[in-house]
């Protein structure tokens, strides 16, 4: 017989659990150090141990685990919660607190493993099970979760984690060199913690397992057949030596205390096996203590290490599951395509890009808000690649920037397996019900559900409308009250005594500070200070704040307010703007966080006083209330494309008087989610595709000179969208008018006209290069475009300085039609950004305006009206001269005249007025007549939009 079959000289070899456990801990420590050296962002595993009550036995076990974690190179946190008996709380309070703490740890990315120390003092078995079951299965390092137990018993499944004591027992058996395959193993015990799981593990090792318990008949005879005995029956020295087969391996899991007068405590620890008699028969045996106990703790450390590795790999994994597209040769209408696709639940989309469940605020099944806390969680992550999509000077029909943005995101995410997030603006209801239609993209490159995207979404525009109109109402009310009250009466009403005490509100203190008054008690103000504080003295001629409405309504372009008898004849002329033209919307888009938005709302200048001082929303007193109305609007909305890739929809500032880009917050969150960790291979990097409104001379220029200045983000490349249709128009083709059929020159090949019009594309390429950007021209293919026309534009673009020029057919083919475009974008982003600004902010306002006019539009110079000259002087005097410029100009021409196509020359750019958006932090010159309230045509789009009364479906939405 071998040593395994018979003990040598009648003495079993001791299986030293302490020594083996030490080796395991040392191996874990070395593995952690190795991982950290090759992966700088891999942090040491972090174990959290929860204890209810203060049981001495539990506390002893926890101290062992704390020491083992330290030796293994891990961090550990012991959270002890008072039992109901200790705190005097009602029954179940302690268990509830443990459950709450476990849920918090489940959601904490820094926590690798969670251990609930059993028993929970004062808790019943049902309550204990509820707590154990509440541990996230991916952090259940004890291996007690029902899913882990179930998978352990499965022949084809593997548990996330194996229970520690059974795993330790197997490790001890294997340390002897014994081959378990085909061997007879007897397991004494049927607990869920040891007996049953150890049987499952042994079966997976191809052992023949007999599971017994204290009531098993012929137990002694069964034990005597075992090559390996695992005793976990919970009875002191239950198994005698004469039961054991000579040469068997004995693994004693028992921990029992028996009286022993020789010990100071009066008791000693023994196992389930009578050690002295068994050691004379067995070949190997585990002592108690010093056998299975240390191994249980060591395997807990191993499970925690494995949990940390799995979590790290999971965070780095590309998990997107694309939605298949059913492409039809004859492309159906946008809404038909959109409703034919079944979206993924928005929670799944968020999970796929690494957003935690507690960072998602669902608005139904297919749209949700993303909490800004994700930015803090991912602050150490490097940003992904940043691409802005712009376009040539468009026709009134648009050239497909939104469609290209979505198609490119689909190509990168669904076809090239990159993390790709599109960031787009929320569309206004003005164009949706007017002429242009929705802005969800088109064909097989859309945001879905497109009906929700185009209608209300998560209510951000309504929040902006409410905040804007609250300020408008406050302005008129303040002007009325100042006109009808004395200084003293006004002050007393602004600071009334409440229970005999007068106080200043927060915005009042801000106004006092602005005036250099540091007093906080209204009673301490001098008569002069009180009068200056109370009376804003707004100059009505300088008032720029209008009410807004998210509907095209030409009859609100000029209105008279104050006609009711109660307003005492204080009438004035004013107007409504469309909601997305509100400075509140621009503030939303340019805010970096909630505090920044609150500060920007307060800084918005609504007029000047008669003394020439700027009057702000903070002076009016309602900036805080406006921030409350917009507190949820600051969170980006997450949706998806037709192919199931993520889209962030956020903010919708007007693209002429504002900067026409989606929000900084959406871009920042997207860049972190798409980014990589320090030390990661560059090939893992993801892409954020953000869209800039109108032509590149407007949207891209403002993106570069305004948005990136505020955000501090540097774009890697620009995608310039060009169409054959628009280029033919710039070559001299007839006007393209919404609602009218296209002229034949746009539906048939015409290379001569096209070649002339390419000059417009060339100018936009030149402009993009001035910002140091890589330029990728996307030739958005329409149905009537011919191969010769596409080739002509491609060659021209490359000769004009574009880095890439790629035909794209994403409208008809989805992401597949933009794969070559996506590859060009990846290549363009392979080198570090060389981005630079067009002008220095320290230059005078007029100089900055002139630089844009000359460099971007090709003007010979600028001409300011007398009013504009006065406004520039006033803003510089008030301290706003260092702001960037946001040109309000037609999008239909590089010049101020929309009828001038191609690349106009020999013109001077007229500046009619100059307006200030102090909250958004830019000055916007008005070039010609710019309408901020569109009108409805004779035949608006709402004629086609209806609700199916039988199904509730929306019909006719473009």
């Amino acid at each position: 017989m071998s040593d395994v079959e018979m003990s040598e000289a009648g003495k079993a070899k001791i299986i030293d659990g302490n020594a083996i456990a030490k080796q395991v801990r040392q191996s874990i420590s070395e593995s952690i150090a190795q991982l950290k050296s090759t992966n700088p962002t891999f942090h040491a595993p972090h174990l959290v141990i929860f204890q209810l009550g203060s049981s001495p036995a539990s506390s002893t076990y926890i101290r062992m685990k704390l020491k083992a974690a330290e030796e293994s190179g891990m961090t550990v946190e012991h959270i002890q919660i008072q039992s109901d008996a200790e705190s005097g709380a009602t029954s179940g309070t302690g268990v509830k607190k443990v459950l709450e703490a476990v849920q918090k740890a489940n959601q904490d990315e820094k926590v690798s493993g969670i251990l609930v120390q059993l028993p929970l003092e004062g808790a019943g078995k049902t309550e204990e099970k509820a707590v154990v079951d509440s541990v996230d299965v991916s952090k259940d390092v004890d291996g007690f979760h029902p899913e882990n137990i179930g998978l352990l018993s499965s022949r084809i499944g593997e548990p996330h984690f194996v229970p520690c004591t059974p795993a330790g027992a197997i490790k001890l058996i294997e340390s002897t060199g014994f081959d378990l395959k085909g061997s007879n193993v007897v397991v004494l015990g049927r607990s869920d913690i040891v007996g049953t799981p150890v049987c499952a593990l042994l079966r997976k090792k191809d052992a023949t397992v007999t599971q017994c318990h204290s009531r098993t008949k012929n137990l002694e005879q069964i034990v005597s057949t075992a090559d390996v005995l695992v005793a976990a029956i919970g009875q002191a020295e239950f198994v005698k030596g004469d039961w054991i087969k000579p040469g068997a391996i004995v693994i004693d899991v028992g921990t029992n205390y028996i009286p022993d007068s020789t010990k100071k405590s009066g008791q000693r620890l023994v196992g389930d096996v009578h050690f002295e008699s068994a050691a004379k028969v067995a070949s190997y045996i585990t002592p108690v203590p010093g056998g299975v106990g240390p191994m249980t703790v060591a395997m807990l450390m191993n499970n925690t290490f494995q949990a940390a590795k799995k979590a790290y790999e999971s965070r780095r994994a590309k998990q997107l599951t694309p939605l298949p597209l059913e492409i039809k040769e004859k492309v159906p209408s946008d809404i038909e395509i959109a409703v034919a696709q079944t979206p993924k639940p928005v929670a799944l989309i968020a999970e796929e890009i690494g957003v935690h469940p507690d960072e998602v605020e669902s608005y139904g099944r297919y749209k949700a808000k993303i909490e800004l806390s994700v930015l803090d969680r991912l602050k150490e992550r490097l940003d992904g690649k940043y691409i802005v999509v712009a376009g040539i000077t468009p026709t009134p029909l648009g050239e497909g920037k939104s469609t290209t943005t979505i198609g490119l995101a689909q190509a990168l995410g669904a076809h090239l397996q990159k993390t790709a997030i599109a960031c787009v603006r929320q569309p206004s209801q003005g164009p949706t019900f007017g002429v242009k239609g929705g802005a969800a993209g088109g064909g097989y490159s859309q945001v879905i559900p497109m009906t929700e995207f185009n209608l209300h979404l998560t209510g951000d525009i309504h929040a902006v409308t409410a905040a804007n109109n609250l300020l408008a109402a406050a302005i008129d009310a303040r002007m009325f009250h100042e006109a009808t009250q004395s200084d003293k009466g006004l002050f007393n009403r602004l600071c009334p005594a409440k229970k005999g005490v007068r106080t200043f509100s927060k915005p009042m203190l801000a106004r006092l500070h602005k005036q250099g008054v540091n007093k906080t008690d209204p009673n301490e103000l001098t008569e002069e200070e009180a009068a200056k504080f109370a009376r804003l003295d707004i100059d009505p001629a300088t008032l720029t704040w209008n009410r807004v409405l998210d509907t095209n309504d030409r009859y609100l372009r000029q209105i008279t307010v104050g006609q009711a008898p109660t307003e005492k004849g204080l009438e004035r002329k004013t107007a409504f703007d469309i909601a997305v033209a509100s400075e509140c919307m621009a503030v939303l888009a340019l805010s970096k966080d909630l505090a920044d938005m609150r500060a920007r709302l307060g800084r918005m200048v609504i007029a000047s006083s008669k003394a020439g001082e700027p009057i702000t929303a903070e002076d009016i007193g309602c900036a805080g209330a406006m921030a409350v109305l917009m507190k949820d609007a600051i969170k980006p909305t997450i949706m998806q494309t037709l192919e199931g890739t993520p889209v962030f929809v956020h903010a919708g500032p007007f693209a002429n008087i504002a900067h026409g880009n989606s929000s900084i917050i959406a871009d920042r969150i997207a860049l972190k989610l798409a980014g990589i960790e320090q030390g990661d291979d560059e090939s893992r990097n993801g892409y954020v595709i953000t869209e800039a409104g109108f032509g590149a001379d407007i949207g891209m220029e403002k993106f570069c000179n305004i948005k990136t200045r505020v955000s501090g983000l540097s774009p890697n490349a620009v995608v310039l969208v060009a169409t054959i249709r628009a280029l033919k128009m710039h070559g001299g083709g007839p006007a393209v008018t919404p609602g009218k059929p296209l002229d034949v020159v746009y539906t048939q090949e015409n290379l001569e006209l096209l070649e002339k019009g390419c000059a417009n594309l060339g100018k936009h390429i030149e402009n993009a290069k001035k910002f140091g950007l890589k330029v990728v021209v996307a030739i958005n293919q329409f149905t009537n475009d011919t191969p010769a026309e596409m080739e002509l534009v491609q060659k021209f673009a490359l000769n004009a300085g574009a880095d890439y020029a790629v035909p794209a057919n994403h409208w008809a083919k989805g992401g597949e039609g933009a794969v070559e475009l996506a590859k060009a974008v990846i290549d363009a982003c392979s080198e570090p950004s060389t981005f630079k600004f067009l002008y220095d902010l320290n230059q005078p306002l007029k100089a900055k305006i002139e630089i844009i006019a000359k460099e971007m539009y090709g003007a010979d110079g600028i001409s300011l009206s007398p009013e504009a000259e006065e406004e520039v002087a006033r803003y510089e005097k008030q301290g706003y001269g260092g702001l960037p410029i946001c040109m309000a100009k037609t999008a239909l021409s590089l010049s101020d005249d929309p009828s001038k196509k191609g690349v106009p020359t020999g013109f001077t750019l007229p500046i009619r007025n100059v307006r200030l958006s102090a909250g958004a932090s830019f000055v916007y010159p008005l070039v010609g007549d710019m309408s901020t309230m569109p009108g409805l045509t004779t035949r608006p789009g709402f004629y086609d939009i209806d609700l199916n009364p039988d199904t509730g479906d929306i019909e006719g939405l473009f």
Side-chain angles (χ1 to χ4, degrees), residues 385-594:
K385 301 296 185 180
Y386 196 24
I387 302 104
V388 59
V389 178
I392 64 170
T393 305
T395 69
L397 300 178
E399 309 317 307
K401 285 195 310 298
S402 299
T403 306
T404 302
T405 300
I406 302 306
L408 175 57
Q410 290 179 166
L412 286 164
H415 296 269
L416 298 180
Q417 291 75 54
K418 301 289 185 181
T419 300
I421 304 173
C423 292
V424 298
R425 288 180 295 166
Q426 179 182 350
S428 165
Q429 289 181 108
T432 299
F433 291 108
V435 174
K436 190 177 179 183
Y444 288 103
S445 295
Q446 295 187 56
V447 183
I448 56 172
M450 68 97 83
T451 50
E452 296 184 29
F453 177 86
N454 286 307
L455 302 172
H456 303 296
L457 199 60
T458 48
D460 292 357
I461 292 180
H462 302 314
V464 165
T465 302
N468 182 99
N469 292 344
L470 174 64
L471 179 54
I475 292 167
D476 280 319
R478 185 60 173 263
M479 291 171 69
F480 170 81
H481 291 306
E482 288 192 20
T484 55
Q485 297 179 43
S486 66
D487 291 346
K488 184 176 181 180
L490 192 61
F491 180 78
N492 288 336
R493 285 177 175 82
L494 284 169
C495 304
K498 294 181 180 179
K499 296 182 179 179
V501 179
R502 301 172 74 181
T503 60
F504 288 123
S505 65
K506 283 174 64 176
M508 290 177 178
L509 289 170
R511 175 160 173 77
L512 286 168
H513 182 74
K514 177 180 173 180
Q515 294 175 328
V517 178
N518 295 318
K519 299 172 183 177
T520 57
D521 184 350
N523 297 312
E524 293 181 358
L525 264 64
T526 66
E527 189 174 318
E528 183 182 354
E529 288 172 338
K532 188 177 179 183
F533 159 80
R535 193 165 295 281
L536 301 181
D537 205 22
I538 294 171
D539 180 357
T542 65
L543 192 58
T544 57
W545 198 263
N546 290 339
R547 289 166 174 80
V548 298
L549 185 73
D550 196 30
T551 303
N552 290 359
D553 193 341
R554 64 175 65 247
Y555 270 73
L556 294 178
R557 288 172 176 168
Q558 189 174 78
I559 61 170
T560 302
V561 294
Q563 291 187 342
T566 51
E567 302 343 299
K568 302 180 180 180
L570 295 172
E571 295 183 5
R572 71 178 183 90
K573 287 187 176 180
T574 183
F576 268 81
D577 297 327
I578 197 158
V580 291
S582 169
E583 187 179 351
C584 294
M585 181 61 84
V587 162
L588 176 66
L590 289 170
S591 295
K592 290 182 283 189
D593 51 40
L594 198 59

Side-chain angles (χ1 to χ4, degrees), residues 505-511 584 587-588 590-604 616-631 634 665 919:
S505 65
K506 283 174 64 176
M508 290 177 178
L509 289 170
R511 175 160 173 77
C584 294
V587 162
L588 176 66
L590 289 170
S591 295
K592 290 182 283 189
D593 51 40
L594 198 59
D596 187 34
M597 184 181 77
R598 169 63 183 85
R600 286 175 177 274
L601 289 171
R603 291 202 303 265
M604 294 189 304
T616 66
E618 199 72 78
D619 291 323
I620 298 292
C622 68
M626 294 169 72
V628 169
L629 287 169
M630 292 174 61
K631 71 179 181 65
I634 199 170
I665 285 175

Side-chain angles (χ1 to χ4, degrees), residues 32 56 185 255 284 312 347 363 414 418 422 449 472 526 607 613 619 718 738:
I32 291 171
V185 182
T255 53
Y284 291 89
Y312 182 69
Y363 282 64
K418 301 289 185 181
T526 66
E613 296 296 321
D619 291 323
V718 59

Side-chain angles (χ1 to χ4, degrees), residues 679-817:
D680 265 351
D681 190 277
E682 183 65 28
S683 64
R684 296 178 55 84
N685 226 327
Y687 298 82
V688 173
I689 309 100
T690 191
E691 180 192 355
F694 287 172
D697 57 312
I698 299 178
M700 182 197 69
E701 182 271 313
K702 294 175 182 179
F703 169 86
C704 294
N705 282 322
I706 298 174
K707 185 176 178 181
T708 61
R709 285 187 197 270
V710 176
S711 69
L713 302 170
S714 293
N716 296 89
V718 59
V719 173
L720 275 178
V721 180
T723 63
I724 306 295
R725 177 183 68 191
L727 291 173
K728 285 180 177 178
M729 180 192 70
H730 287 296
V736 175
T737 306
K740 292 184 179 180
L742 286 174
D743 190 274
V744 68
V745 300
Y746 299 112
T747 58
Q748 293 181 4
E749 186 175 290
N750 190 322
L751 298 179
E752 182 182 356
L753 201 63
L754 177 61
E755 188 171 13
K756 289 180 182 177
C758 279
N760 184 268
L761 171 59
K763 176 58 178 169
H764 287 292
I765 293 171
E766 175 193 321
N767 286 353
K769 284 294 184 180
K770 289 175 181 176
F771 292 101
L773 293 171
K774 290 279 188 178
V775 178
V776 181
V777 173
I779 310 167
N780 187 18
Q781 187 172 352
F782 286 11
T783 307
N784 296 315
D785 298 339
T786 69
E789 290 176 326
M790 299 294 285
E791 184 181 1
L792 187 156
V793 176
Q794 195 171 7
K795 287 182 178 178
F796 178 91
L798 293 172
N799 289 333
D803 297 280
Y804 308 85
V806 186
N809 197 14
H810 41 277
W811 178 80
K813 295 184 178 180
E816 181 187 353

